[in-house]
Amino acid sequence: MNTKTNHDRTCRAPKSVKGYSIKTSPDKTQIGGQVTVTINDHAIKVPLGTTILEASKSLGINIPTLCNHDDLCVAGVCRICVVEVEGQRNLQAACAFPVTSPIKVRTHSRRVRHARRHILDLMLAKHYGECYSCTRNGNCELQNLAEEYGVDFYRFGHLKEPRYTVDNSSYAVVRDMDKCILCRRCIRTCIDMQEVGVLGAINRGDKTKIATFLDKPLAEVICINCGQCINRCPTAALKAKDPTDEVWAAIDDPTKHVVIQTAPSPRAAIAECFGVEPGTALTFEMNTALKRCGFNKVFDTNFTADLTIIEEGTELILRLYKALVKKDPGVAETIPQFTSCSPGWVKFIEHFYPEFLPHVSSAKSPQQMFGALIKTYYAQQNNLDPANIVSVALMPCSAKKFECNRPEMISSGYKDVDYGLTTRELAKMIKEAGVDLLKMEKSDFDDPFGSATGSGVIFGATGGVMESALRCVIELVTGKKVENLFDHAEITPVRGFEGSRIAELTIGDVGPVPDLLKHLVPDWNWLRGVTLKLGVCHGTANAKKVLEDIRNGGPFSQCQFIEFMACPGGCLGGGGQPIPTTPEIRAARARAIYAEDRRSTIRKSHENPAILSLYKEFLTDGPCGKVSHKLLHTHYVARGKYILA
Amino acid sequence: MKAKYMSPLTFSTILPDEGLKKAVSIKRSEILAEISASKIKGRGGAGFPTGTKWNLAAAAKDTTKFIVCNADEGEPGTFKDRIILMDHADLVFEGMTIAARAVGSKEGILYLRGEYTYLLSHLETILQKRRDNKLLGDAILGVEGFQFDIRIHMGSGAYICGEETALIESIEGNRGEPRNRPPYPVDTGLKRHPTVVNNVETFAWCACIIGNGAEWFLKHGTAVSTGLKLFSISGDVERPGVYEFPWGITVSEVLEKCGGRNAKAVQIGGASGYCIPRSQFDRKIAYEDISTGGSIIVFGPDRDMLKVAKNFLEFFVEESCGQCTPCRDGNPVILDGIERLEKGTCSITYLNELRALSETMQVASKCGLGQTSTNAFLSILEHFKDECMGRGRE
Ligand SMILES: Cc1cc2nc3c(=O)[nH]c(=O)nc-3n(C[C@H](O)[C@H](O)[C@H](O)COP(=O)(O)O)c2cc1C
Ligand code: SF4
Ligand code: SF4
Ligand code: SF4
Ligand code: SF4
Ligand code: FES
């Protein structure tokens, strides 16, 4: 892709830590030489430039780390990974030391163990809080190391008073800097990985702290709520805002009807919170567990994922029709259409590229569509007073907590979605309810939204929205079964984990316009022989590249439709998912998601019978019609980067 | 400060641009060989052989290379670089130009300590004169293709920015924080290009070495520590200032010259150096014995050595860049320990914990600051134990 940018106007953050990234290319054999390194008397040949840490790993030697993270460039700041390198007076950071000559290393000598213990002692001396009152109790890298290195007293003391106030301002991310060990993973995540640049280090010496611009509350800066920093924080210094108390209160209130919709990604990951290998989906076991926790109904967000496909797909068809047939230059300028289902991405574009907002589909995200339908369609059907419905959304995402609190998200006349729960928070609720998730029998989702399609499931992976939309568009336009074009209807060109990619699809013969869309376009002839270019991109750093490319007239400007997701890997790598996260863990979750897609019998949104009856009974003027616009579509705010408040 | 040089400087006797003229008349490899032969070691404190550094940079395969002069001079009790820049800036620029010729660089940067802003216009004037005289710019001294210029980058008052990789970060516009090494600046430096970073004095001596030959330089100093060295002497002495001595001079000889005969201790190497008691005043100031970037601070009989240690630690608590755990969080713990010693509330057991912690800081910190910040504390504890212990309980 075109990487040439004239002047990178968006890079507001210094690429501070990029300068000395030493991560070598994953395919190290391509680089050339091999070198022998001897670690604790075991010799191993590694490609030149491999770090001591990586070399040790392949020998089964665990070196503790805190600032190092597989997704991020090297920092070498916590020093917990120090090892002895023969011939060097000082200990060396294993995560940052590239092997370029045959060296001898000791990873757990007396000197090393003492140094590590001291480093932990120092961290704990400035750590305020106790593990038993902490969200990360049992899942904290600092706590684990304290145990591993036998910390049984506070050698250099322990804080009795907090030094900072907790920043609770954001709907999504809570910052408790009294638990921060200054590993700077969050900075590298936010600057290098997401290229948002909310967080940075300020001050020097022991006054050093992680801060936002002018140390403002998180809600007042350009944080997109993606929560990627939470997923990489080794401690509880960063956590999601937890609404479980409110959710329990609603469950315990007999006058409330509490429903929960569950997004596709949590079910592919929640098992990790119960000690199961990544890549195990527990969809139907989780349904039972949710009922046992006391939720009245359990719905599948895949239903509105299907609905999103129909609405967003129709919007795309309308845009193309107006641009290509009606020759409307105003509309032509808003092509490519961008997806809108990732609230982190939406806030990103609102802050950084507000001039591109007309490209963003007005369709709400599946979560918010569901919210609007539950307090209208579902309430009417079941004779419920929407005022007594508490609508909870289980999401892999922290930005969804912000999204449901956006002031415009009240199309039902009530707050459409009351609470966003993350995968991690639900796992805690399940544990608190004394439910053994792994032993639950399976149960299905509740009607009237019960049946969902595979297409909805794959929303959780990068490229999934695109693939679902394509399955739909291909059939609606050509009238042919997508299975005849792609094996198992798997449109593999849009799958994968590259940061951004373009797939092309040429429409051959066209069929008749299906009933659902008849009132919108007279025929498909204008699409005959047209090659659709479809872009997919995940992680906002990649989004930035794609948008700059469009600005410069590069290949992405030729696309008709681009899927954007704020999080690396898509929702399955969302900021509400189980911790830790690594590229391997995300790949395992993706496998679980695609496996579920394969298992589902109906694989196309427009064939979902519940969707069809929704249009028949409720959204009677069809996709992108008046009712749908009121309930299922939204608008955006050009926020810009300069926060004046 | 009124400090001036208190002994005649060799720099004053050097003919202008002798070295540079010689440098353009010989091969690049010959320049490198001459510097290596002189065995000169860096004058900024770390004492890395300059010849090796230049050779590595010359061998690096890159069309862009940088020559950076470290004029951050932040080590407490050091002011010799200021004197050199004031009176012999031409020599420094000449040294940088010779380095550029030797390693193949077109761009030089002088990183000037923020507090030295008043030197800026003086230095700019000299640079302009050198450009006018064809000593900088295109075709230096009429040699086709020998192109080099120097700009001045102002520091902004952080001690850590004297550490060469933090200095590079600072030039790049980032927070002044040391990088991981390896890779070293000669390989991956400013903007990821090979970069030679040398101290002000190092460049000045290099110009003299090329001008007068390595043999001349080797006449001074010891076998390991060759040549002459500028020292900044301060504290309880009659004649503080900048002195030029050969390496290998003993502490008592130094005290003799500057009028500090009744000193009870001498801190050699600035805040990050070691504190030497009277009983060790016969030790040599040289890389092989006690080395220094130039700072010598003398303490008279009435000085409270624990206060001295406290003073240094306060400096490091303040100046640590805050990046790595041992230094950021270790220095305050040591400082707190010193305060306990002052109050007489530090147990022997805890003192031993602090000693052990200091050792961890020395071996586990990321850069020279944290690796040396406890030197003063440890050496004062070792040599002035009675003064440190048993306080506050009279
Ligand atoms: C904390 C710290 C501060 C330093 N400050 C200076 C300084 O002010 N001036 C200087 O020349 N070198 C300083 N150095 C040494 C430099 O890192 C580097 O070794 C030196 O500039 C190399 O030049 P040389 O080989 O000519 O001495 C400092 C090192 C450390 C660790
Ligand atoms: S962050 Fe970790 S170490 Fe700190 S209180 Fe929480 S669980 Fe314990
Ligand atoms: S939530 Fe995302 S945007 Fe906000 S600080 Fe964390 S990484 Fe940055
Ligand atoms: S907030 Fe978390 S990730 Fe960020 S520096 Fe602190 S401990 Fe590390
Ligand atoms: S040792 Fe101190 S100054 Fe050096 S990197 Fe670590 S914190 Fe920064
Ligand atoms: S893990 Fe290596 S320094 Fe932090």
Side-chain angles (χ1 to χ4, degrees), chain A residues 14-16 18-22 74-79 82 89-92 96-98 111 114-115 118-119 122-123 126 153 155-156 181-182 184 201-208, chain B residues 157-160 169 173-175 177-183 188 192 317-326 328-330 332-333 350 353-354 356-357 360 362-366 371:
Chain A
K15 296 195 172 140
S16 52
K18 278 191 174 161
Y20 48 96
S21 164
I22 49 149
V74 171
V77 297
C78 75
R79 316 304 286 176
V82 285
R89 185 166 45 99
N90 293 327
L91 304 179
Q92 300 293 329
F97 197 97
R111 206 156 75 116
H114 277 221
H118 273 139
I119 288 164
L122 287 174
M123 284 176 174
K126 281 177 63 185
F153 76 113
R155 192 185 309 268
F156 302 120
I181 55 166
L182 295 165
R184 303 190 181 194
I202 61 164
N203 303 339
R204 275 187 316 203
D206 64 336
K207 296 190 184 66
T208 307
Chain B
Y159 168 60
I160 191 58
E169 284 288 305
N174 299 327
R175 247 175 96 87
E177 290 181 342
R179 297 176 174 178
N180 292 304
R181 303 184 308 167
T188 309
R192 319 214 71 180
V317 167
E318 186 78 22
E319 294 296 336
S320 154
C321 81
Q323 193 182 184
C324 74
T325 319
R328 176 191 64 233
D329 294 341
V333 169
Y350 192 66
E353 296 281 15
L354 293 179
L357 174 65
T360 292
Q362 288 177 335
V363 295
S365 290
K366 181 164 176 172
Q371 288 159 7

Side-chain angles (χ1 to χ4, degrees), chain A residues 127 129-131 134 136-137 140 142-143 179 235-236:
Chain A
H127 201 74
E130 298 294 348
C131 298
C134 181
R136 289 293 289 274
N137 193 359
C140 168
L142 180 61
Q143 190 188 42
K179 298 208 165 78
T235 69

Side-chain angles (χ1 to χ4, degrees), chain A residues 510-642:
Chain A
V510 294
V513 178
D515 291 344
L516 204 58
L517 303 174
K518 261 201 181 119
H519 61 295
L520 297 173
V521 285
D523 58 58
W524 290 135
N525 294 337
W526 51 283
L527 278 176
R528 182 177 289 130
V530 167
T531 298
L532 292 179
K533 290 202 169 117
L534 308 149
V536 174
C537 147
H538 59 121
T540 43
N542 294 316
K544 191 164 133 183
K545 285 191 201 119
V546 168
L547 292 171
E548 287 297 326
D549 179 73
I550 295 176
R551 202 206 292 287
N552 294 321
F556 279 93
S557 67
Q558 305 301 313
C559 288
Q560 281 82 24
F561 191 33
I562 305 179
E563 172 198 307
F564 288 95
M565 302 238 191
C567 295
C571 304
L572 55 84
Q577 289 284 65
I579 299 171
T581 181
T582 63
E584 293 75 35
I585 292 176
R586 294 193 294 277
R589 292 176 191 160
R591 281 196 299 277
I593 280 181
Y594 284 118
E596 187 153 329
D597 174 44
R598 277 193 161 217
R599 276 197 301 271
S600 56
T601 40
I602 305 168
R603 304 163 58 94
K604 284 151 289 192
S605 308
H606 61 285
E607 288 180 353
N608 183 340
I611 292 280
L612 296 176
S613 57
L614 179 73
Y615 279 110
K616 208 178 279 158
E617 296 165 16
F618 190 66
L619 306 169
T620 42
D621 51 354
C624 292
K626 270 224 181 63
V627 189
S628 127
H629 255 286
K630 179 169 175 290
L631 291 176
L632 306 183
H633 289 254
T634 184
H635 56 271
Y636 306 103
V637 188
R639 295 176 199 267
K641 273 185 280 182
Y642 304 97

Side-chain angles (χ1 to χ4, degrees), chain B residues 328-361:
Chain B
R328 176 191 64 233
D329 294 341
N331 282 312
V333 169
I334 303 291
L335 179 58
D336 169 74
I338 294 177
E339 284 162 0
R340 290 187 194 201
L341 281 169
E342 275 182 331
K343 282 188 255 158
T345 57
C346 184
S347 68
I348 298 286
T349 327
Y350 192 66
L351 190 62
N352 286 336
E353 296 281 15
L354 293 179
R355 273 214 191 89
L357 174 65
S358 302
E359 276 154 29
T360 292
M361 290 164 64

